[in-house]
Amino acid sequence: MNNICVIFDLDGTLVDSEGLCNQAFLDLLPQLHDPLESLTERYRGQKLSSILIDLENRLGLNLPDSFEQHYRQRVAELFARNLKPMPGVLEMLATLNSPKCIASSGPLPKIRQALEVSGLAAYFGNNLFSSYEIVSWKPDPGLFQYAARAMGFVPSQCAVIEDSEVGIEAAIAAGMTPLYYVQTGVTSSYQTAGNVVFDDMSQLPQLLAQFANMNQSNR
């Protein structure tokens, strides 16, 4: 399947980090009483600066300038102790022979730590692309477009694996084929919007093989 490129989101797609990232808000903001599950769904795939603005508006406070640094530090601590790959990801990556990369809204140090702790680093090498490096955040297509160019592929050859609605929007805007990973028990309006949806990482190699075959026949 060398005729396609697989672009992976990271948080909530390859690593089970969404809950940890939102637990850090609960740890640092005692006045925040949202259940962890509702916070996770509210902020899934969002850029941090937008989340902080929303928190300020909802809580009626101004966060100190040092909050982002403390937040990043707390997330790193939680990752070091608790971060795991999403179910089935290690087995899936072991069978996937397509060129692949990561395109994440997180900063590179966070991406690298997540991959090292979860045991996924060897599968991606330096094929890591961050919104902070490109200065483009989902749902803008710029990050995915940059990743495709860097990997040597045109958008129509790229499948994007995402777990967030903003990521799906970005993939579509970039002219790529999104494959929407929705964990069992999580609901989304995008499940009924004509997107390819799957809930088990063991299904992904077959979905990618179908995409590769379609891509080959359309050339």
Side-chain angles (χ1 to χ4, degrees):
M1 295 197 297
N2 289 328
N3 64 315
I4 65 167
C5 180
V6 187
I7 303 178
F8 285 96
D9 172 55
L10 180 63
D11 293 299
T13 301
L14 291 176
V15 295
D16 195 3
S17 55
E18 292 282 5
L20 299 177
C21 291
N22 285 282
Q23 182 61 51
F25 292 128
L26 294 171
D27 293 347
L28 296 174
L29 295 169
Q31 59 273 68
L32 183 62
H33 300 298
D34 296 46
L36 179 60
E37 292 77 11
S38 63
L39 268 187
T40 299
E41 288 313 303
R42 184 182 184 94
Y43 295 137
R44 184 180 297 277
Q46 302 290 328
K47 63 188 291 190
L48 181 60
S49 61
S50 299
I51 295 173
L52 298 184
I53 291 170
D54 186 65
L55 286 170
E56 287 184 327
N57 290 337
R58 293 176 62 216
L59 298 175
L61 52 76
N62 292 318
L63 295 171
D65 293 340
S66 60
F67 183 83
E68 180 174 347
Q69 179 183 350
H70 291 149
Y71 171 76
R72 297 284 186 201
Q73 181 177 351
R74 181 59 183 152
V75 168
E77 292 168 356
L78 291 171
F79 276 20
R81 290 206 305 265
N82 302 309
L83 186 65
K84 300 287 189 296
M86 294 298 288
V89 160
L90 277 167
E91 295 83 355
M92 176 272 294
L93 288 175
T95 67
L96 201 61
N97 57 9
S98 298
K100 53 190 173 292
C101 65
I102 286 173
S104 169
S105 297
L108 272 176
K110 179 190 172 192
I111 296 171
R112 293 188 188 282
Q113 184 199 15
L115 293 174
E116 289 292 342
V117 170
S118 62
L120 305 182
Y123 291 104
F124 294 96
N126 290 318
N127 295 330
L128 312 175
F129 305 102
S130 162
S131 287
Y132 285 84
E133 305 293 312
I134 314 305
V135 196
S136 176
W137 276 262
K138 308 164 190 176
D140 185 275
L143 177 62
F144 288 147
Q145 291 169 335
Y146 182 95
R149 286 195 301 270
M151 294 293 291
F153 290 84
V154 298
S156 63
Q157 294 175 296
C158 297
V160 175
I161 319 305
E162 267 283 357
D163 75 315
S164 71
E165 295 190 2
V166 292
I168 297 296
E169 290 177 27
I172 293 170
M176 301 176 183
T177 296
L179 301 178
Y180 190 13
Y181 176 60
V182 180
Q183 282 183 273
T184 303
V186 176
T187 58
S188 166
S189 60
Y190 270 48
Q191 289 176 263
T192 57
N195 296 297
V196 177
V197 179
F198 68 105
D199 63 3
D200 185 339
M201 281 293 171
S202 69
Q203 300 168 330
L204 185 56
Q206 182 178 358
L207 292 172
L208 290 171
Q210 292 170 357
F211 172 68
N213 290 335
M214 283 178 46
N215 204 273
Q216 188 69 34
S217 64
N218 291 334
R219 299 182 77 178

